[in-house]
Amino acid sequence: MKPVEKYGNVAWVAGSPIDHSLSPVIHNSAFEGAGLPHQYFAIEVKPEELTDFVGNLQSMGMIGANFTLPLKNAVCEVVEDQTPAVETIGAANTLFRRNSGEFALDNTDVYGFEKLVEPWGERIRSEPVLILGAGGASRACLFALDRLNCPRIYLWNRTRESAQTLSEQYPYDITVLSDSELSEGEFEAGVVVNTTSLGLNESDGSPFPEQQIRDDMVGVDLIYNRETKFVQDFGEYGSDSIGGLGMLVHQAAGAWKRWFDTTPNVDIMKQAALDYLQDDQ
Ligand code: ATR
């Protein structure tokens, strides 16, 4: 275990808004379960306050920190030492210390996604994957899929230009789909991943046309706060479907690994998140 104690007992998640972050619940339950005295707090930090916040962390001491919207990109301008994932994606969610004590950034959403899709690893290595959405989450998935040796990626986004730009920024085999190519099924995919925010609200539909779901397709939705229409549709017409809670928990586990060089109890983390979501309904 890293000698984090000399940097204090506190970890943070910073963002704006931050009220509904599940990270304190997830990390504090794991700290408690491991009998550690550490505490994890959420703190409201606006982009214009970010440089001061990181500077204060240096002087206050900390185990580590997480960043959420709208700071994931901005923090890359503040901390220079970045893992290859952060350099490629241009976004980070985890601040940790090198053994030297210096700050560095990682993107553990990549690890979270890899763990989420682990049950379909063989299919991802041998069949194309379709990604819906071209925002920050999509970038992390693209990086992870390359690491998982996915042979080919199809990418669709509501705003096609963003998907085009993203496909040009990544050196992978990415085919951008138009709306009609998506609705007419002009793609191949064993696994379909929803990274869009469509599904966050109860009344939302699915970005993927129901009639294109084959009975051997897997639907993976990164949304974790409810069972989305996307997940329901794949549950009904596909072979398997899963929501994003596992990714949320495993990105937290990835941060923990960076901070302590050990693996937390992810079952405790997941149960704490489930309890919180249930109480929140
Ligand atoms: P995140 O960091 O979670 O990826 P983001 O960077 O804001 O969030 O990206 C949101 C994604 O959801 C984008 O791909 C967005 O599409 P646009 O680029 O066209 O905005 C997508 N999205 C948001 N609302 C959507 C909707 N109603 N239908 C389809 N896609 C939607």
Side-chain angles (χ1 to χ4, degrees), residues 69 72 132-138 156-159 162 195-198 207:
L69 298 177
K72 285 182 162 189
L132 310 170
S138 173
W156 170 86
N157 193 47
R158 178 178 63 176
T159 313
S162 314
T195 76
T196 79
S197 38
L198 190 63

Side-chain angles (χ1 to χ4, degrees), residues 7-115:
Y7 301 119
N9 277 331
V10 175
W12 305 93
V13 57
S16 180
I18 198 66
D19 294 355
H20 292 289
S21 172
L22 257 76
S23 293
V25 167
I26 291 174
H27 281 287
N28 284 325
S29 69
F31 288 153
E32 205 182 310
L36 292 167
H38 309 323
Q39 283 190 300
Y40 186 107
F41 296 106
I43 181 166
E44 174 94 17
V45 175
K46 298 201 160 54
E48 60 274 21
E49 299 164 336
L50 184 59
T51 306
D52 283 349
F53 175 69
V54 173
N56 287 339
L57 287 176
Q58 286 278 21
S59 49
M60 287 184 319
M62 52 125 222
I63 297 168
N66 290 126
F67 296 94
T68 185
L69 298 177
L71 307 176
K72 285 182 162 189
N73 301 89
V75 73
C76 300
E77 305 296 318
V78 181
V79 180
E80 266 179 34
D81 186 358
Q82 304 176 356
T83 60
V86 175
E87 280 173 354
T88 305
I89 297 162
N93 71 335
T94 300
L95 183 71
F96 66 102
R97 289 182 193 271
R98 299 284 187 194
N99 289 333
S100 62
E102 294 301 310
F103 280 167
L105 290 174
D106 192 12
N107 187 317
T108 66
D109 289 336
V110 172
Y111 172 75
F113 179 73
E114 286 172 353
K115 293 297 282 182

Side-chain angles (χ1 to χ4, degrees), residues 113-257:
F113 179 73
E114 286 172 353
K115 293 297 282 182
L116 181 70
V117 298
E118 212 168 55
W120 305 286
E122 190 43 50
R123 294 197 70 177
I124 286 174
R125 271 188 295 280
S126 56
E127 287 175 70
V129 169
L130 167 59
I131 297 196
L132 310 170
S138 173
R139 302 175 77 92
C141 291
L142 286 173
F143 185 85
L145 288 172
D146 181 60
R147 256 191 357 197
L148 295 171
N149 293 319
C150 176
R152 185 167 187 196
I153 296 165
Y154 287 89
L155 182 63
W156 170 86
N157 193 47
R158 178 178 63 176
T159 313
R160 189 180 173 176
E161 296 74 49
S162 314
Q164 197 58 46
T165 307
L166 190 50
S167 75
E168 285 158 16
Q169 285 168 352
Y170 278 70
Y172 319 141
D173 185 359
I174 299 176
T175 305
V176 174
L177 296 178
S178 65
D179 290 350
S180 63
E181 285 168 332
L182 181 75
S183 60
E184 285 159 27
E186 291 172 32
F187 56 86
E188 302 156 63
V191 177
V192 181
V193 184
N194 177 34
T195 76
T196 79
S197 38
L198 190 63
L200 276 175
N201 300 311
E202 205 169 351
S203 57
D204 283 351
S206 166
F208 192 73
E210 218 173 83
Q211 68 278 11
Q212 294 306 339
I213 302 178
R214 288 195 325 256
D215 60 9
D216 63 344
M217 270 182 186
V218 176
V220 176
D221 200 333
L222 304 196
I223 291 173
Y224 57 77
N225 67 326
R226 69 179 67 256
E227 188 180 75
T228 59
K229 171 87 167 48
F230 176 94
V231 166
Q232 286 167 2
D233 287 351
F234 275 86
E236 191 165 350
Y237 306 112
S239 76
D240 232 331
S241 64
I242 193 168
L245 192 69
M247 176 166 167
L248 180 78
V249 167
H250 282 288
Q251 64 76 32
W256 174 295
K257 283 168 97 169

